[in-house]
Amino acid sequence: MLERSSSPLKICVLLLSILLTGCSSVKARKLPYDAWSLNFYSPDYMDVWIETAAVLDIDGKVFGNAGSGIPAQGYPRPLSKGVPAEFRGKPAGWPEIPGGKGRRVVGANLPELLYVRWQSIAEPQTYNALIRIPESTRELMRNSEDVFCRAYQKVVTRHRKWLVVGLAPGGIVKVWITGPCLQAIEVTREQASVVPLGPHLGKALGEYYFFQEESKAYVEKFGIPYGSW
């Protein structure tokens, strides 16, 4: 199983085998922009640590260092310290405009498969997911759209070149595509699998990443809104 893979090479082999046995037959096409971005987001106070992410593009190339670290999050605010008198974040559900932070997948064509393994620190639990991106989504990423952009106060032409992956407790994964000045379009919602070996495939001896003080206080007071994602 994927969660027992102990090296990037094994992940790559599995991604390639899935591609060869069930991939899209659409011909690869050149991107209309330099690169697309893989971004991650977690609900307020539902702290996450991304251990690894990988991409298989439609040319059959694997990009094994596509993401890691802390995803974007509304609350706690950056550099916040201590527990506030009032919790202003709303972790239940997804935002209308999903944000996200990550990195550009330079050199990749459009994505066929995404793999991500992460720690849901609020629970705590370790999950992984293998997500297939449909051709209809790639077509939307290729096409440009004319949209009125408030930042420029005029109509501009933009592409949906940001792939945003939301990671929530219970192993819920939601994916959108969006871009500058454009509305987000939902791609898929997936249920991830638990990684039996725990954090870092057992190499962390069961130790999870640091739980922020404000997030911990919120969860202890209000719990985790399972079922809202």
Side-chain angles (χ1 to χ4, degrees):
M1 294 178 67
L2 189 55
E3 60 263 21
R4 295 186 180 276
S5 300
S6 57
S7 70
L9 178 59
K10 291 182 180 180
I11 294 173
C12 293
V13 170
L14 179 59
L15 292 175
L16 286 171
S17 67
I18 293 174
L19 176 69
L20 292 172
T21 57
C23 68
S24 168
S25 61
V26 176
K27 276 189 173 183
R29 283 182 257 174
K30 187 177 179 181
L31 292 175
Y33 34 80
D34 291 339
W36 56 274
S37 296
L38 179 60
N39 301 325
F40 293 93
Y41 170 87
S42 64
D44 295 344
Y45 310 118
M46 304 294 111
D47 292 2
V48 160
W49 175 261
I50 300 166
E51 294 185 354
T52 188
V55 172
L56 178 70
D57 76 4
I58 56 175
D59 292 337
K61 296 180 180 178
V62 175
F63 296 79
N65 188 26
S68 62
I70 301 172
Q73 190 178 39
Y75 288 89
R77 295 296 195 190
L79 304 180
S80 65
K81 295 181 180 179
V83 179
E86 178 186 0
F87 292 99
R88 299 191 177 187
K90 297 180 180 179
W94 298 106
E96 184 177 346
I97 304 175
K101 70 176 182 180
R103 64 190 65 168
R104 299 200 312 161
V105 189
V106 178
N109 207 323
L110 292 174
E112 177 81 26
L113 293 171
L114 305 177
Y115 170 75
V116 58
R117 187 178 74 243
W118 77 97
Q119 299 174 22
S120 176
I121 302 165
E123 297 180 85
Q125 188 63 269
T126 306
Y127 298 98
N128 65 13
L130 189 62
I131 306 157
R132 184 177 294 277
I133 304 301
E135 173 58 24
S136 57
T137 297
R138 289 190 290 272
E139 194 61 27
L140 289 170
M141 294 177 74
R142 293 185 188 102
N143 295 337
S144 62
E145 184 174 326
D146 294 334
V147 60
F148 179 79
C149 189
R150 291 182 180 179
Y152 302 104
Q153 288 296 300
K154 65 178 182 179
V155 175
V156 295
T157 302
R158 293 289 183 265
H159 287 88
R160 286 185 171 84
K161 55 182 180 179
W162 300 341
L163 199 65
V164 180
V165 181
L167 304 172
I172 301 301
V173 183
K174 201 163 191 179
V175 182
W176 301 264
I177 50 168
T178 186
C181 306
L182 295 169
Q183 287 187 331
I185 297 175
E186 183 178 334
V187 174
T188 186
R189 180 182 183 276
E190 305 285 345
Q191 174 63 61
S193 301
V194 171
V195 179
L197 295 177
H200 296 288
L201 300 175
K203 295 178 182 178
L205 302 177
E207 291 291 326
Y208 281 82
Y209 190 75
F210 174 71
F211 199 5
Q212 298 181 84
E213 185 178 5
E214 184 175 339
S215 296
K216 183 178 180 181
Y218 180 94
V219 171
E220 288 176 347
K221 185 174 183 179
F222 299 105
I224 296 173
Y226 289 111
S228 68
W229 300 294

